[in-house]
Amino acid sequence: MSFRVLAAASLAEANLFLQAAGERDGRPNFDLVLLDLGLPDGEGTTLLAALRRRHSLPVLVISAREAEHQKIGLLDAGADDYLVKPFSIGELLARMRVALRHRGVEVSAAVTHYQHDGVMIDLKTHKVERDNEPVRLTPTEFKLLARLVRSAGQVVTHRQLLTDVWGADFIEHTHYLRLYMGQLRAKLETNPAAPQLLFTEPGIGYRLREPTDA
Amino acid sequence: MDMMFTPAKTANHKRFLYGAATWIGGWLVMLAVARYLDLGNLGMLLVLTSAVAAIWLPVFATLLVGILGVMTFNWMFVPPQGSFAIDFHQHTILLIVMFVVNMIVAALMIALREHVKQVEQHALAADTLRTWGDRLRDVQQPQQCLRELRQMLASLTNVNLTLLALREQLPVEDELDAAILLGETDAEQLSGLWYCLRNGQQLGPNTGRYQELPGLYLPMRGRTITYGAAMLAMDKPLPIIATAQAQALCDQMGAALERHHMQELQQRAQKTAQEQELRTTLLAAISHDYRTPLATIMGAASSLQQQAERLSVNQQKTLAHRIVTETEHLRQMTGNILQLARLDNTGAELRCDWEAAEELIGSLVQRFRARDQQQRLRIEVEPGLPLLWCDTLLICQLLDNLLDNAFKYSSPGTAVHLIARRQADGITLAVRDEGPGIPQEQQQIIFRAFKRGELLPARTSADDTSGVGIGLALCRAIANAHGGELQLESNSHGSCFTCLLPLRPQPDQPTDEEISGAVLLPEDGRQ
């Protein structure tokens, strides 16, 4: 996959590009935005907010700031992912692919069915299988897994998970997640202490491994 | 004059009562014995009565009753009785003697009373000063006591007063922001207060300075500087003893303010010194520990830049790989230094949450997988561990550093164990290697930031030892910040770093009833 890149050195320039590029079918003529936070004429977060108000263009945030609460804040504000400097180009490309798939044209196909390494999850039929054997999940476990499947390959913050599965009153109950993720890993992972499927992003949230394209 | 230290009203009544009773008693006795005694002896009784009554009666009453007594005596007993006329001349002498003796008794009483009153005033003043001093010593912020000082001065002098006290240092200009003002003032009084504060001298009537001022200005003097001033809106001069007492109270406040100010300066100086020390060590570390990886990167990168065409593809790859490894190394070291600086800086707060040890370890395995080509990592997690209350990122950083060291300082192919176990008093997270171990005398030194043990790496070049001390010092700081500890056991078969984290009462677990709107699986999904 190759990309054509337009580099904007400031917030003002980025806004200009976005305007000049125009829109195509209600979407701007860009596929993805890589946003650095510290820009000479302001914070990148203002652009993120402006972008999110208008369209669902995927946004990857790049920053040297490592504070985890800031990452969480940006993810909750609508950023698709967050990369801390320094990072490898391989990692950047992988994150870009995931972001594009999620915001891409064929959105609906990817998110209701999940397959990776012997694990199959079908949200429509509520079926979960591991090595062709059905896996029994409690309603809450399934709800949690389904939320991760819909964002497969992307980090879902603790807050997002707790809100979507238990409700807004439960955003402080991180220990619920610890319990149910432990149960899910016990049912889906070969070795729960060395997960291959349900990854932990320490201090931020969880990520279901990207599905194998098949 | 009596407004200060006024004795209780009831005591005054009693004094009158006793005096009156003495006089009535004396007169009854005199009337009773008048016919048996001659005039001279009777007069003695009158003098006695007057002297005894003077113990209790105020001076003016003693004088008045004395004169009245002598006149009545003259009327009733001195012939011709029933008139003020005197028949015999020697009776005149008797009356004069009685009158003079009465006067002398009254005068002596005045002197005595004054003396007693002064002693009492001094005792009370000393007592007030001592209590006030204790009070000022006990408070953290003497500024909180300004209101009390104002009340004390008000009850001492019965006048309106205003206090001005510095918050910290003396400002260059008279800025009200730099001071606390208690009470009402006009512009002139305010400038008077500032003048008094800046010069540390009393102003106003009877002070020798600015005598024409309508109020009395008292400075709150510390040992070296004046920290405040009080303005007493007097219409007449204050008695010397009250002025002295008011000044003493103010000076105690000044001393307390000075003590507080000095303490603050000292604390600030200590903090600055600590920060300075930390900065110096960090700079030393950066200059020392950063040079080696930077030199490697520089070398590899410049080779690639200048001689790429002369190098084989494999050589180029090796150089590029070296750059990536060293960059990763620098990244980790930077993270450690920043985190150490944050933890060392008192007041750094942990972002704690409930964490599962299994998950912590899982996320590390995920991170180390790429580096662990030989699959050296062995995970031993006890099932059913309770949740930990900790700062995830810090604990991850701790384990990350320990794992990193274990991989570096043990031979390739040997196992590195990552262990989580339940203990009686907490959970231990441990990293054990099968390397050469750390010599006894080095075991404490290696935990000091920037003083590395002279480790003999089994495989790696000496370059890779940079930053180890920072890493271990950080690990220990993280464990301590969590109320836990980091211990090292080492022998010739390997080293084991163990982090013990205390347990907290576990949070409530969810029950399925708590969950609203749960999605039910279709029957075939449940089997």
Side-chain angles (χ1 to χ4, degrees):
Chain A
M1 203 185 293
S2 61
F3 300 94
R4 264 186 56 215
V5 182
L6 266 175
S10 63
L11 273 182
E13 206 176 336
N15 277 322
L16 253 161
F17 281 165
L18 284 167
Q19 275 167 22
E23 297 194 352
R24 178 182 59 195
D25 308 330
R27 293 166 55 85
N29 245 331
F30 284 99
D31 294 311
L32 184 104
V33 174
L34 291 176
L35 180 62
D36 198 325
L37 286 186
L39 292 168
D41 55 346
E43 282 292 306
T45 40
T46 53
L47 186 69
L48 175 63
L51 277 171
R52 274 293 157 268
R53 269 200 299 279
R54 289 214 302 270
H55 23 242
S56 64
L57 189 63
V59 178
L60 275 183
V61 173
I62 295 167
S63 173
R65 298 166 206 171
E66 205 168 359
E68 68 270 27
H69 62 99
Q70 197 172 20
K71 286 189 215 171
I72 298 168
L74 283 160
L75 290 172
D76 283 340
D80 288 68
D81 216 332
Y82 188 105
L83 276 166
V84 178
K85 294 178 196 172
F87 49 83
S88 71
I89 297 300
E91 194 177 354
L92 174 66
L93 289 174
R95 304 281 187 102
M96 283 169 65
R97 278 195 298 274
V98 173
L100 283 171
R101 180 159 53 237
H102 275 276
R103 303 270 184 188
V105 190
E106 63 281 72
V107 177
S108 54
V111 290
T112 55
H113 188 84
Y114 177 91
Q115 187 122 30
H116 180 83
D117 203 21
V119 172
M120 189 284 292
I121 304 161
D122 195 312
L123 298 189
K124 276 184 187 153
T125 59
H126 287 237
K127 262 188 194 161
V128 179
E129 284 179 6
R130 182 174 153 196
D131 301 329
N132 296 321
E133 288 287 315
V135 179
R136 281 181 63 173
L137 297 180
T138 68
T140 313
E141 285 167 5
F142 184 81
K143 241 183 138 179
L144 181 59
L145 184 62
R147 179 64 188 83
L148 288 167
V149 165
R150 278 187 219 110
S151 304
Q154 284 182 311
V155 183
V156 188
T157 62
H158 294 142
R159 192 192 173 88
Q160 286 167 347
L161 285 173
L162 287 163
T163 313
D164 292 351
V165 178
W166 281 275
D169 293 342
F170 288 83
I171 49 172
E172 303 287 322
H173 290 53
T174 330
H175 56 280
Y176 282 20
L177 288 177
R178 308 295 177 222
L179 180 84
Y180 281 99
M181 286 307 291
Q183 289 174 5
L184 278 178
R185 285 202 180 105
K187 290 179 183 179
L188 297 175
E189 298 275 6
T190 323
N191 177 5
Q196 302 281 338
L197 202 65
L198 295 161
F199 296 133
T200 307
E201 296 289 332
I204 296 175
Y206 293 93
R207 188 161 55 88
L208 181 68
R209 194 192 191 111
E210 276 179 68
T212 34
D213 297 314
Chain B
M1 218 92 341
D2 268 2
M3 28 190 181
M4 75 184 277
F5 315 122
T6 320
K9 285 263 158 77
T10 46
N12 257 353
H13 286 302
K14 271 191 186 159
R15 283 164 170 271
F16 271 108
L17 215 64
Y18 291 151
T22 311
W23 272 108
I24 292 167
W27 273 104
L28 287 178
V29 172
M30 277 189 275
L31 285 172
V33 299
R35 73 182 76 155
Y36 309 111
L37 293 179
D38 66 20
L39 203 56
N41 288 328
L42 211 55
M44 283 296 130
L45 277 179
L46 180 73
V47 172
L48 179 67
T49 308
S50 176
V52 172
I55 297 175
W56 295 291
L57 287 178
V59 177
F60 75 93
T62 306
L63 283 173
L64 193 71
V65 184
I67 295 165
L68 274 175
V70 173
M71 284 167 74
T72 320
F73 187 85
N74 183 5
W75 180 273
M76 290 185 72
F77 300 121
V78 179
Q81 293 171 344
S83 89
F84 289 112
I86 300 161
D87 281 353
F88 302 106
H89 286 294
Q90 65 260 47
H91 290 164
T92 315
I93 296 172
L94 177 69
L95 283 180
I96 291 173
V97 167
M98 278 167 62
F99 183 74
V100 170
V101 169
N102 264 346
M103 289 300 109
I104 292 172
V105 167
L108 285 175
M109 276 332 269
I110 294 176
L112 183 66
R113 291 254 178 83
E114 271 304 309
H115 183 67
V116 169
K117 201 161 95 181
Q118 273 187 10
V119 170
E120 276 176 356
Q121 281 179 357
H122 278 127
L124 192 61
D127 198 44
T128 317
L129 284 177
R130 204 181 50 245
T131 331
W132 179 229
D134 289 346
R135 168 90 182 104
L136 283 175
R137 248 190 304 284
D138 289 345
V139 294
Q140 291 277 318
Q141 299 262 346
Q143 283 90 342
Q144 293 165 352
C145 293
L146 281 170
R147 211 167 284 277
E148 281 171 59
L149 176 66
R150 186 160 176 250
Q151 273 168 10
M152 287 171 81
L153 290 175
S155 67
L156 180 72
T157 59
N158 273 345
V159 295
N160 260 335
L161 54 97
T162 305
L163 301 184
L164 182 77
L166 293 180
R167 286 179 199 280
E168 282 194 352
Q169 263 161 335
L170 189 67
V172 183
E173 300 280 324
D174 296 351
E175 292 162 26
L176 262 188
D177 288 348
I180 301 167
L181 184 69
L182 216 62
E184 288 167 12
T185 49
D186 53 35
E188 189 193 314
Q189 289 171 335
L190 193 61
S191 65
L193 278 168
W194 276 111
Y195 185 87
C196 178
L197 193 156
R198 287 188 182 279
N199 292 287
Q201 291 171 332
Q202 296 182 353
L203 313 177
N206 280 355
T207 60
R209 284 172 218 95
Y210 296 92
Q211 304 250 39
E212 70 288 355
L213 277 174
L216 178 65
Y217 293 80
L218 301 176
M220 299 180 200
R221 292 174 293 210
R223 225 174 264 261
T224 49
I225 322 170
T226 304
Y227 282 85
M231 193 276 300
L232 292 82
M234 313 290 307
D235 35 16
K236 56 179 182 176
L238 203 62
I240 294 169
I241 188 167
T243 314
Q245 174 74 352
Q247 182 59 62
L249 289 172
C250 286
D251 283 347
Q252 276 188 311
M253 177 51 103
L257 287 170
E258 179 171 61
R259 210 163 43 234
H260 180 248
H261 185 216
M262 291 300 158
Q263 272 171 4
E264 278 202 337
L265 284 184
Q266 196 186 350
Q267 278 170 4
R268 231 174 283 167
Q270 264 173 6
K271 194 161 177 266
T272 318
Q274 273 174 2
E275 282 170 3
Q276 190 60 43
E277 195 187 311
L278 182 70
R279 210 168 298 142
T280 316
T281 12
L282 286 181
L283 280 176
I286 290 167
S287 62
H288 177 269
D289 286 340
Y290 272 47
R291 265 170 212 226
T292 16
L294 278 176
T296 315
I297 294 172
M298 185 79 176
S302 56
S303 305
L304 282 175
Q305 188 190 29
Q306 288 155 15
Q307 311 166 23
E309 61 282 355
R310 278 192 271 157
L311 298 169
S312 71
V313 176
N314 268 343
Q315 279 172 318
Q316 288 183 19
K317 270 192 180 165
T318 312
L319 286 175
H321 177 73
R322 198 175 290 165
I323 292 174
V324 171
T325 320
E326 288 302 318
T327 314
E328 171 61 25
H329 182 182
L330 273 180
R331 188 192 63 78
Q332 195 185 5
M333 208 157 65
T334 311
N336 284 344
I337 288 176
L338 288 177
Q339 204 62 262
L340 190 63
R342 191 169 79 98
L343 280 183
D344 266 7
N345 200 346
T346 46
E349 57 191 69
L350 301 182
R351 292 173 188 279
C352 286
D353 205 341
W354 290 109
E355 299 295 342
E358 190 184 71
E359 272 192 3
L360 281 176
I361 287 178
S363 66
L364 280 161
V365 174
Q366 192 181 315
R367 218 186 302 178
F368 265 83
R369 193 170 280 135
R371 291 173 52 185
D372 186 22
Q373 304 292 348
Q374 300 169 293
Q375 309 229 330
R376 295 167 65 189
L377 196 55
R378 307 266 188 284
I379 311 295
E380 299 164 31
V381 181
E382 195 179 300
L385 285 175
L387 293 180
L388 284 168
W389 179 254
C390 64
D391 186 320
T392 327
L393 287 203
L394 288 183
I395 296 294
C396 280
Q397 203 166 3
L398 180 152
L399 290 174
D400 198 72
N401 278 320
L402 292 180
L403 278 177
D404 198 56
N405 286 348
F407 272 89
K408 264 185 204 160
Y409 298 114
S410 56
S411 327
T414 58
V416 171
H417 303 263
L418 182 51
I419 306 154
R421 273 208 198 102
R422 172 108 202 222
Q423 302 285 336
D425 47 353
I427 287 185
T428 53
L429 302 172
V431 173
R432 186 160 63 80
D433 65 39
E434 296 173 358
I438 299 160
Q440 190 69 38
E441 65 274 13
Q442 303 249 341
Q443 290 189 9
Q444 283 309 312
I445 303 174
I446 54 166
F447 284 104
R448 285 186 218 153
F450 321 127
K451 282 187 189 134
R452 272 177 282 110
E454 298 291 312
L455 297 179
L456 290 175
R459 167 185 61 107
T460 48
S461 65
D463 296 353
D464 285 358
T465 61
S466 59
V468 170
I470 303 167
L472 284 177
L474 174 65
C475 289
R476 185 159 265 184
I478 290 173
N480 292 343
H482 282 85
E485 50 187 307
L486 181 67
Q487 284 166 343
L488 164 64
E489 281 172 61
S490 185
N491 55 34
S492 54
H493 303 297
S495 306
C496 182
F497 286 88
T498 307
C499 170
L500 175 71
L501 293 175
L503 272 185
R504 274 206 171 194
Q506 295 290 298
D508 296 333
Q509 291 300 347
T511 58
D512 271 2
E513 283 77 22
E514 275 183 78
I515 300 149
S516 56
V519 182
L520 284 174
L521 297 179
E523 279 308 307
D524 60 346
R526 312 186 124 212
Q527 299 268 324

